Amino acid sequence: MSKYIFANILGSFVFDEGFNLIDKGQVEDAENIAKRHTAVIPSDDEIKKILEFFKRKEFFAEFHKKNIELTKRQIRNSVSDDMLIIQAIGCIEDIDKAANTLIKRLREWYCLHNPEFSEKVSSNERFSELIIAKDRKELLKEISVPEESSMGAELGKGDVAQILLLAEHLKSLYILRKKQEEYIENIMKKVCPNLSIVAGHLIGAKLIEKAGGIKRLMEFPASTVQLLGAEKALFRHMRTGARAPKHGIIHKHPLISKSKRKEHGKIARALADKISIAVKIDYFKGEFIGDRLLLGLEERFSVK
Amino acid sequence: MISKSNTFEVYEESGKRRKSIFTKNLVPGKSVYGERLISQEGVEYREWNPDKSKICAAILKGCPDIKMRKGDTVLYLGAASGTTVSHVSDIVGESGFVFALDFAPRVVRDLVFLCETRENIAPMLEDANRPERYISRLSQADIIFQDIAQKSQVDIFLKNINLFLKKGGFAMLAVKSRSIDVTKNPREIFKRVREQLEKELIITDYRELEPFQKDHCLFICKKK
């Protein structure tokens, strides 16, 4: 007579040859139960019979409860540093989008009052700071435009205040962006030092976001890293035979953006290669060689 | 007027230009993903959206029987946030049970919230490609439904059927041709999947899900 022992999230169970239940206990009692019986571990076919035994209404409530508990624990434990990176870099992208929309509105609005100054200052960040700090008269003086020749209208105090209210919010949005960037830099240096040196911390974070985590980015071949963010062009290439994309997110890397167009493909390939190596080292917590990887690239494609 | 036209727990609204189908709400008063609720003679029904659910699309494309019955135990692979799962839970009712599995923590979080309102669903955060890891979390199933966008989805399907499906039980596979190979014609891929399935199973129904879901099809198979 052989007996089978089977443990699952409901507890430990012992079955006889006909797969009738003869003993059971809590998950914690597994050892005691194993001692009480000389039972064997079931084979695949026998496991199927045992699973059939559990398909009963009386077990469902317990399956429901135990699976929820376990899943909640799994979800809690699944939160890792790369998720923080993904959220922070996503936040920066959202801030950029929102700030761009709002600054366009601010400039349009402020131009009613003082178009010459808006025309002169191209940096959005400085623009929002300056119009808060100084009034129309002072600003016109700074760009030496006589007040009478300005196209801007004299607005009431309340009207100008409303424009400046938006400017205040934009200014704090730019400060927020800077803080998020610092945060990403810190966390990237801590979690993946090699990647953040070779790719730069923002591009590195974007790669992690696109891949969906450091582990997945690590598992990608270099060719996939090279084209991350260029999926649309890649699939168009595969479907219709259009020209293949050379690079995705990494095109913003100074090595590529500062080089000649003709070289882009070659550099993207080499850079993706080194990024791929860097992530693998970071994931397995290897030694720091990021600076050497980057130096090798810079020597090969010397930035003029 | 909502009436039942099938042997399974799916209801139809007649007298409309566009046919819409419903399931009986297991938790009256609660809408899961913003779907329309309709009460009739003291019973509440939830509208089933074919753009969000492949089973619903298959029914509207004329599938005569989705094989799920009241009281069935269902293994649902690729549950996501539980849109379709909630309707499956309606169909099997209080006497049935659904084991809902997905691999992404983000969507399982929503699934857990759903499970907390519905006693007949158990969430599992596991990889469908590794049945040995979740064998301790479920029982045998009468029906297996799989909707995962993986290249190896057919292998995963067969593996799970082998372990968890009862003899003579039915299994449904939703195939997304684009996740197998974007360059090939979907029909060609569906044909290849069919050949692979026919080696081990009997195919009882096949539906292409245009226009509700692009490049998708649904196979219903019986385990020998």
Side-chain angles (χ1 to χ4, degrees):
Chain A
M1 277 287 273
S2 56
K3 291 190 230 170
Y4 305 111
I5 188 158
F6 183 76
N8 63 11
I9 54 171
L10 305 185
S12 294
F13 300 85
V14 182
F15 298 89
D16 69 6
E17 249 175 5
F19 298 99
N20 299 306
L21 184 67
I22 44 178
D23 198 3
K24 65 173 177 179
Q26 297 298 310
V27 178
E28 304 83 53
D29 303 335
E31 266 179 43
N32 286 333
I33 295 224
K35 265 183 214 155
R36 248 182 296 174
H37 301 273
T38 45
V40 293
I41 290 161
S43 69
D44 269 8
D45 280 328
E46 287 147 5
I47 281 182
K48 285 179 201 168
K49 283 272 194 304
I50 292 170
L51 288 176
E52 190 177 348
F53 170 83
F54 283 106
K55 197 177 70 186
R56 284 174 198 208
K57 184 121 181 58
E58 53 182 295
F59 293 121
F60 288 162
E62 199 70 1
F63 268 128
H64 173 78
K65 201 179 121 206
K66 287 277 164 62
N67 268 316
I68 287 186
E69 277 170 20
L70 180 54
T71 308
K72 279 185 171 173
R73 213 157 48 232
Q74 284 174 315
I75 292 176
R76 191 159 54 230
N77 294 336
S78 73
V79 177
S80 55
D81 284 334
D82 34 353
M83 291 199 174
L84 297 175
I85 295 175
I86 290 171
Q87 292 299 333
I89 191 76
C91 180
I92 286 194
E93 278 161 26
D94 288 346
I95 290 175
D96 283 346
K97 247 186 254 166
N100 269 332
T101 320
L102 287 175
I103 194 79
K104 263 192 272 170
R105 170 63 58 205
L106 177 69
R107 278 184 186 264
E108 255 340 284
W109 199 349
Y110 189 74
C111 273
L112 301 176
H113 186 46
N114 187 358
E116 286 78 10
F117 183 70
S118 175
E119 193 69 22
K120 209 80 178 184
V121 182
S122 58
S123 157
N124 293 334
E125 214 177 320
R126 266 177 55 79
F127 174 75
S128 53
E129 271 170 27
L130 284 172
I131 63 169
I132 295 167
K134 290 169 185 170
D135 68 6
R136 176 165 173 253
K137 233 179 225 168
E138 291 169 298
L139 292 173
L140 281 175
K141 205 180 234 169
E142 261 177 39
I143 56 169
S144 51
V145 173
E147 220 183 317
E148 336 45 276
S149 76
S150 165
M151 289 185 279
E154 195 64 60
L155 295 180
K157 231 181 190 169
D159 301 325
V160 176
Q162 204 61 30
I163 301 177
L164 294 186
L165 203 57
L166 176 60
E168 292 271 5
H169 277 91
L170 263 166
K171 192 177 141 193
S172 58
L173 218 49
Y174 288 122
I175 295 171
L176 175 62
R177 190 193 191 280
K178 238 176 234 149
K179 281 192 179 150
Q180 299 282 29
E181 216 172 295
E182 277 163 26
Y183 171 72
I184 287 190
E185 193 176 343
N186 287 336
I187 198 166
M188 284 290 286
K189 267 187 190 149
K190 198 183 86 200
V191 182
C192 25
N194 289 295
L195 174 65
S196 56
I197 282 281
V198 178
H201 49 267
L202 282 184
I203 295 177
K206 271 186 193 159
L207 287 172
I208 292 172
E209 187 202 18
K210 262 274 171 240
I214 295 174
K215 182 162 184 268
R216 288 199 57 189
L217 184 61
M218 179 274 291
E219 286 168 340
F220 283 159
S223 53
T224 306
V225 174
Q226 186 189 341
L227 294 184
L228 271 181
E231 284 80 5
K232 211 173 152 193
L234 174 66
F235 287 122
R236 187 174 55 222
H237 161 68
M238 279 159 69
R239 258 203 315 271
T240 67
R243 289 174 64 186
K246 289 187 280 292
H247 35 53
I249 294 166
I250 59 170
H251 82 277
K252 285 213 177 104
H253 193 277
L255 267 179
I256 294 181
S257 59
K258 280 186 191 156
S259 64
K260 282 194 208 110
R261 202 145 208 193
K262 236 180 129 184
E263 303 263 277
H264 279 193
K266 195 197 282 176
I267 303 175
R269 232 159 30 234
L271 177 61
D273 212 42
K274 297 296 179 265
I275 289 176
S276 183
I277 293 171
V279 182
K280 285 175 178 77
I281 298 170
D282 287 332
Y283 182 76
F284 293 108
K285 303 267 178 281
E287 56 186 313
F288 178 71
I289 61 158
D291 47 354
R292 266 185 288 159
L293 289 175
L294 187 66
L295 202 68
L297 282 173
E298 280 172 347
E299 274 169 10
R300 208 173 133 197
F301 308 104
S302 58
V303 189
K304 282 144 209 158
Chain B
M1 263 308 272
I2 294 174
S3 61
K4 190 169 160 182
S5 59
N6 316 303
T7 40
F8 47 104
E9 299 293 317
V10 171
Y11 302 80
E12 276 179 22
E13 190 174 31
S14 51
K16 278 219 171 159
R17 229 183 305 149
R18 197 183 165 199
K19 192 163 117 182
S20 42
I21 59 174
F22 298 81
T23 57
K24 211 186 262 176
N25 195 353
L26 191 67
V27 191
K30 267 214 169 112
S31 161
V32 176
Y33 53 96
E35 74 281 15
R36 196 156 57 105
L37 301 177
I38 290 183
S39 281
Q40 182 181 297
E41 287 158 9
V43 187
E44 194 173 85
Y45 300 91
R46 294 168 53 228
E47 186 171 14
W48 203 351
N49 183 344
D51 298 328
K52 287 186 180 168
S53 167
K54 272 141 224 163
I55 302 181
C56 177
I59 295 171
L60 288 178
K61 288 284 287 189
C63 173
D65 190 352
I66 55 162
K67 308 294 176 190
M68 288 176 192
R69 296 287 186 273
K70 209 174 208 166
D72 275 353
T73 306
V74 179
L75 171 57
Y76 195 118
L77 303 166
S81 40
T83 312
T84 307
V85 175
S86 68
H87 288 285
V88 173
S89 140
D90 281 349
I91 291 171
V92 299
E94 268 167 40
S95 52
F97 202 72
V98 186
F99 292 98
L101 177 144
D102 206 291
F103 189 40
R106 173 67 193 85
V107 289
V108 175
R109 211 161 65 201
D110 292 339
L111 188 62
V112 169
F113 286 127
L114 178 72
C115 294
E116 281 178 336
T117 62
R118 286 169 179 258
E119 303 257 307
N120 66 353
I121 314 175
M124 298 192 281
L125 179 66
E126 300 281 354
D127 182 355
N129 205 5
R130 296 236 162 90
E132 68 281 0
R133 289 206 184 162
Y134 54 84
I135 203 163
S136 64
R137 301 180 67 169
L138 42 57
S139 73
Q140 192 192 56
D142 302 313
I143 303 268
I144 291 183
F145 177 81
Q146 177 179 312
D147 176 13
I148 49 179
Q150 291 263 319
K151 213 169 178 182
S152 56
Q153 50 188 320
V154 181
D155 295 328
I156 295 173
F157 188 57
L158 294 173
K159 219 190 270 183
N160 278 287
I161 287 179
N162 178 31
L163 259 178
F164 301 120
L165 190 62
K166 71 169 182 192
K167 256 204 179 110
F170 287 92
M172 286 183 262
L173 174 66
V175 181
K176 180 182 175 189
S177 79
R178 267 179 295 168
S179 64
I180 295 184
D181 192 337
V182 278
T183 60
K184 297 259 162 51
N185 181 336
R187 285 264 163 79
E188 222 171 277
I189 289 167
F190 297 154
K191 207 176 130 199
R192 232 168 43 203
V193 171
R194 174 182 281 266
E195 280 160 12
Q196 220 176 331
L197 291 176
E198 268 170 347
K199 274 183 210 151
E200 301 186 29
L201 306 161
I202 305 159
I203 296 177
T204 60
D205 197 14
Y206 163 77
R207 301 280 153 184
E208 276 168 30
L209 304 183
E210 299 272 352
F212 304 114
Q213 321 259 343
K214 216 183 150 202
D215 298 342
H216 278 78
C217 76
L218 187 84
F219 286 98
I220 301 185
C221 319
K222 191 175 179 189
K223 188 176 181 181
K224 279 178 191 167

